[in-house]
Amino acid sequence: MFLLALMSSFFNAAVTLYAKKIMVEMKNSHSFIVTSFISVSILLAFSMPRLFSFHMNMGSVSLLVMVILLDTISNILFFKSMERIEVSRLAVYSSLTPLFTFLPNIFINGFHTKTFISVFFIVLGIYFLNLKGRDPFAPLMELKKAGNMLGILASVIIGISMVPTQQLLIHEWTNAPTLYLMRATGISLLIYIIYRPKLWFPKLNVALGVRGVLSIIQWMCLLTALKWADGTLVVALAYTSPLFVLFLARIYFKEKITIPKVAACVITILGIVWTMMEH
């Protein structure tokens, strides 16, 4: 299951970079979100129709609505942040997601010191990413900037969303393909109703299709792992994508590989190593 989480991390990096490329051409994050999720919905609807399953009851419907609302907000914040800061920096902020999966999971699964240590490494990585000079409070000042704050808020909401997502799966009220289809459809509909963005970009159809396939692979790996393993650990591994984004962003977007970025990634690696040694 941890291998699936790491595979999700790699494809998450590829999807993030592809998103940056497409969004720059669209010049509108709302258009990108709606069109990308529509492409995912279409691909899923035609490729996995026999796998769809959803047991409707008060609990399952409530959790599904919660997931769609939280993920809609997180996507808006994430791509607004992407418009303002480097994708490699945003990817490191995304590593905060496990912390906000860990905190609500304390009330469900209890407090686990080993898991907390793994998550702590990731939070420490965020600190070093924003450390400038010898001022220990510099990271706090950096986090006040709009792009950074939006990225962190997106991670907070994504982390919280993973809790109802996992509950839907472990109670077997739905499965990974069905959940992702309903999630993608719900997000695209909500954002279209609110913002009514432009949807027709014929020159980008192939790129959207490729990103849709990569997104499906990423989320199938993540959701399958969530069903069978500790939610916080799965999310911690799945959001180690900064390790991949750091170098891929250098190749495709010429983003600088700085000492703080490398330090943040190394500390994240230590968190992964700890996780794998203890489980």
Side-chain angles (χ1 to χ4, degrees):
M1 290 304 107
F2 292 150
L3 177 60
L4 284 175
L6 287 173
M7 287 175 61
S8 174
S9 176
F10 173 78
F11 283 106
N12 184 31
V15 165
T16 301
L17 291 166
Y18 228 121
K20 180 76 171 182
K21 176 180 182 296
I22 298 172
M23 199 170 67
V24 167
E25 295 189 40
M26 284 187 176
K27 300 179 181 178
N28 186 307
S29 59
H30 300 138
S31 291
F32 169 75
I33 296 171
V34 176
T35 53
S36 62
F37 277 116
I38 287 175
S39 66
V40 167
S41 296
I42 293 172
L43 287 168
L44 279 172
F46 283 98
S47 62
M48 302 181 182
R50 295 183 180 180
L51 298 179
F52 297 141
S53 173
F54 185 79
H55 299 285
M56 188 173 295
N57 55 56
M58 185 63 71
S60 64
V61 172
S62 299
L63 289 172
L64 177 62
V65 170
M66 189 183 303
V67 168
I68 291 173
L69 289 175
L70 289 172
D71 287 355
T72 297
I73 297 170
S74 66
N75 271 276
I76 292 172
L77 294 174
F78 182 85
F79 290 108
K80 286 293 183 184
S81 177
M82 186 180 284
E83 292 177 339
R84 292 170 169 80
I85 63 176
E86 291 181 329
V87 66
S88 54
R89 178 176 288 271
L90 177 58
V92 176
Y93 288 143
S94 296
S95 295
L96 279 172
T97 297
L99 173 62
F100 298 98
T101 301
F102 170 74
L103 293 176
N105 263 336
I106 291 175
F107 299 98
I108 300 173
N109 302 317
F111 181 87
H112 299 287
T113 304
K114 296 174 182 178
T115 302
F116 172 76
I117 293 173
S118 300
V119 174
F120 173 76
F121 275 111
I122 297 172
V123 176
L124 190 63
I126 303 297
Y127 174 83
F128 277 95
L129 176 69
N130 290 290
L131 188 62
K132 292 184 177 180
R134 297 182 179 180
D135 183 2
F137 299 104
L140 298 178
M141 301 304 295
E142 286 294 312
L143 297 183
K144 291 182 179 179
K145 295 180 180 179
N148 297 336
M149 184 57 70
L150 289 171
I152 291 170
L153 286 174
S155 298
V156 172
I157 297 171
I158 293 171
I160 295 171
S161 174
M162 289 297 167
V163 178
T165 295
Q166 185 178 33
Q167 293 303 307
L168 277 167
L169 294 168
I170 63 176
H171 285 93
E172 297 186 343
W173 286 332
T174 188
N175 55 27
T178 310
L179 179 54
Y180 194 34
L181 174 64
M182 293 187 294
R183 174 184 177 274
T185 304
I187 292 172
S188 58
L189 283 174
L190 277 178
I191 294 180
Y192 180 75
I193 291 170
I194 296 170
Y195 296 103
R196 297 298 177 93
K198 178 182 175 182
L199 300 182
W200 184 240
F201 298 90
K203 293 182 180 180
L204 296 174
N205 285 342
V206 173
L208 285 167
V210 171
R211 185 185 179 278
V213 171
L214 295 176
S215 295
I216 290 171
I217 296 173
Q218 173 208 341
W219 278 89
M220 290 306 101
C221 290
L222 175 59
L223 296 177
T224 302
L226 275 174
K227 181 177 179 180
W228 299 108
D230 181 283
T232 302
L233 293 177
V234 168
V235 176
L237 291 173
Y239 279 87
T240 56
S241 52
L243 306 175
F244 304 108
V245 171
L246 179 65
F247 298 102
L248 293 176
R250 172 62 182 170
I251 296 171
Y252 292 104
F253 295 110
K254 309 301 180 185
E255 293 184 4
K256 294 181 180 179
I257 298 178
T258 63
I259 292 176
K261 287 181 182 178
V262 173
C265 287
V266 169
I267 293 170
T268 301
I269 291 174
L270 292 176
I272 298 172
V273 172
W274 176 270
T275 299
M276 300 308 291
M277 287 176 62
E278 297 297 329
H279 292 79

